[in-house]
């Protein structure tokens, strides 16, 4: 075994120090937000909270968790995210697979239509009129369908499909597989990395989305948790929460933003480690034998 040179060991040491500093700088804001969410009002307003909670306080968490509407809206968020992500993945995958075929007639037009929507939209009012006229208001489809395809995600999947070996599909055609069979049994199993990435992108987008629900939902029990927490922030900072005492209201107003960030980011942070492994896996390694 060749012994690493001195310069290489120095490089490894410097590289390790730099990467450690980057990790610490990245983690600090998250750690600070988590500490603020468990800290007391006086310590927060005095700027004493850094990495550890001070004046440990669970008032805001208790107020949020005791509210039945919070759990109902949280369930709505899960439902909307799952349905909207499933719809988005089906449409994006099918569209990207079609666009990846260079022999397709009119391929340039279809790509142009997709790219055109990145720069030009119908506008807020026309979209609202369209969703309302289709009878989609107060339903999950008002959230899922208008945002079903992200052009950026579409182009990423298209580029990935174009790099797949054509020999695999030709062999599958010889074996009698149809176009849908090739997509489901050959292409998608070899595309776990990009599919997992797109699922994460769409899930995060729909999970954090609040404006579509705020616009198309008229009933409180249909709102996602992001709208619930937005209203809670507005009520706490505006002093409009009549159900809480003055002391509780002050505490909620002090750390409601931190609690909101923790509650909305925690599920995504829990799911991410299970998806992250696909980002760096070599799914095509050994797929084609020379």
């Amino acid at each position: 075994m060749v012994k690493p040179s001195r310069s290489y060991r120095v490089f490894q040491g410097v590289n390790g120090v730099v990467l450690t500093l980057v990790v610490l700088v990245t983690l600090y804001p998250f750690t600070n937000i988590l500490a603020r969410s468990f800290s007391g009002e006086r310590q927060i307003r005095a700027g004493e909270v850094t990495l550890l909670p001070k004046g440990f306080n669970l008032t805001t968490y208790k107020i949020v968790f005791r509210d039945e509407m919070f759990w109902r809206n949280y369930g709505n968020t899960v439902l909307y995210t799952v349905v909207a992500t499933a719809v988005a993945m089906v449409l994006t995958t099918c569209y990207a697979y079609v666009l990846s075929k260079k022999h397709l007639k009119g391929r340039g037009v279809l790509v142009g239509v997709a790219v055109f929507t990145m720069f030009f939209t119908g506008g807020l009012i026309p979209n609202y009129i369209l969703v309302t006229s289709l009878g989609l208001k107060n339903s999950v489809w008002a959230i899922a369908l208008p945002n079903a395809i992200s052009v950026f995600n579409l182009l990423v999947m298209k580029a990935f499909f174009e790099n797949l070996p054509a020999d695999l599909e030709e062999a599958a055609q010889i074996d009698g597989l149809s176009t849908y069979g090739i997509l489901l049994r050959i292409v998608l199993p070899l595309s776990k990395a990009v599919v997992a990435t797109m699922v994460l992108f769409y899930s995060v987008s729909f999970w954090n989305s609040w404006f579509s629900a705020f616009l198309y939902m008229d009933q409180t029990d249909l709102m996602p948790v992001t709208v619930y927490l937005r209203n809670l922030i507005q009520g706490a900072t505006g002093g409009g929460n009549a159900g809480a005492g003055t002391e509780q209201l002050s505490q909620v107003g002090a750390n409601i933003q931190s609690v909101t960030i923790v509650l909305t980011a925690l599920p995504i942070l829990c799911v991410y480690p299970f998806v992250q492994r696909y980002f760096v896996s070599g799914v095509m390694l050994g797929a084609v034998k020379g």
Side-chain angles (χ1 to χ4, degrees):
M1 181 176 180
V2 180
K3 185 179 180 180
S5 64
R6 181 178 179 181
S7 59
Y8 183 71
R9 291 198 301 269
V10 172
F11 168 77
Q12 285 184 313
V14 173
N15 196 33
V17 172
V18 172
L19 291 178
T20 300
L21 292 175
V22 171
V23 170
L24 293 177
V25 171
T26 304
L27 289 179
Y28 175 77
F30 294 98
T31 306
N32 179 256
I33 287 294
L34 185 62
R36 286 168 60 91
S37 70
F38 290 104
S39 299
E41 174 202 357
R42 182 183 63 80
Q43 289 80 3
I44 294 175
R45 298 192 186 280
E48 300 176 359
V49 182
T50 53
L51 297 178
L52 296 176
K54 292 188 177 181
F56 191 80
N57 198 299
L58 296 175
T59 299
T60 305
Y61 280 105
K62 290 179 180 179
I63 291 177
V64 172
F65 288 156
R66 289 174 181 172
D67 192 350
E68 293 183 1
M69 188 58 66
F70 167 78
W71 296 108
R72 183 175 301 176
N73 292 159
Y74 217 99
N76 291 340
T77 298
V78 175
L79 174 64
Y80 297 160
T81 301
V82 171
V83 173
T85 301
V87 172
M89 285 303 302
V90 170
L91 296 180
T92 303
T93 301
C94 293
Y95 198 1
Y97 183 65
V98 168
L99 294 181
S100 67
K101 303 306 175 186
K102 297 181 180 180
H103 61 272
L104 177 69
K105 294 183 179 179
R107 176 174 177 265
V109 176
L110 294 176
V111 174
V113 169
V115 174
F116 180 83
T117 61
M118 294 181 66
F119 305 99
F120 302 96
T121 62
L124 181 61
I125 295 178
N127 285 338
Y128 181 84
I129 294 175
L130 176 63
V131 171
T132 303
S133 62
L134 293 175
L136 301 179
K137 283 191 64 176
N138 295 317
S139 70
V140 64
W141 307 116
I143 297 176
L145 295 183
N147 304 301
I149 296 181
S150 167
V151 180
F152 173 80
N153 295 344
L154 173 69
L155 296 179
V156 171
M157 292 196 75
K158 168 183 169 294
F160 187 91
F161 289 152
E162 286 177 342
N163 291 327
L164 291 177
D167 297 345
L168 292 175
E169 297 190 32
E170 292 175 0
Q173 287 179 339
I174 294 175
D175 290 340
L177 282 181
S178 63
T179 302
Y180 294 105
I182 294 174
L183 175 62
L184 296 176
R185 300 179 63 179
I186 303 297
V187 175
L188 290 183
L190 294 174
S191 307
K192 291 181 180 178
V194 70
V195 169
T197 303
M198 295 301 105
V199 167
L200 181 64
F201 285 173
Y202 276 122
S203 298
V204 172
S205 176
F206 288 119
W207 182 273
N208 293 328
S209 176
W210 66 272
F211 187 71
S212 295
F214 183 76
L215 189 64
Y216 300 127
M217 302 293 184
D218 296 332
Q219 304 174 24
T220 305
D221 58 348
L222 295 178
M223 297 291 185
V225 71
T226 47
V227 176
Y228 170 89
L229 295 174
R230 172 192 175 276
N231 295 337
L232 187 61
I233 291 176
Q234 189 177 31
T237 56
N241 191 349
T246 304
E247 183 177 350
Q248 284 188 337
L249 185 60
S250 299
Q251 174 63 38
V252 172
N255 68 349
I256 181 60
Q257 292 182 345
S258 302
V259 172
T260 299
I261 294 173
V262 171
L263 292 178
T264 53
L266 185 61
I268 298 299
L269 293 177
C270 292
V271 172
Y272 180 79
F274 299 97
V275 182
Q276 187 269 345
R277 65 190 179 96
Y278 289 105
F279 295 171
V280 294
S281 60
V283 293
M284 287 302 300
L285 184 61
V288 179
K289 303 299 181 182

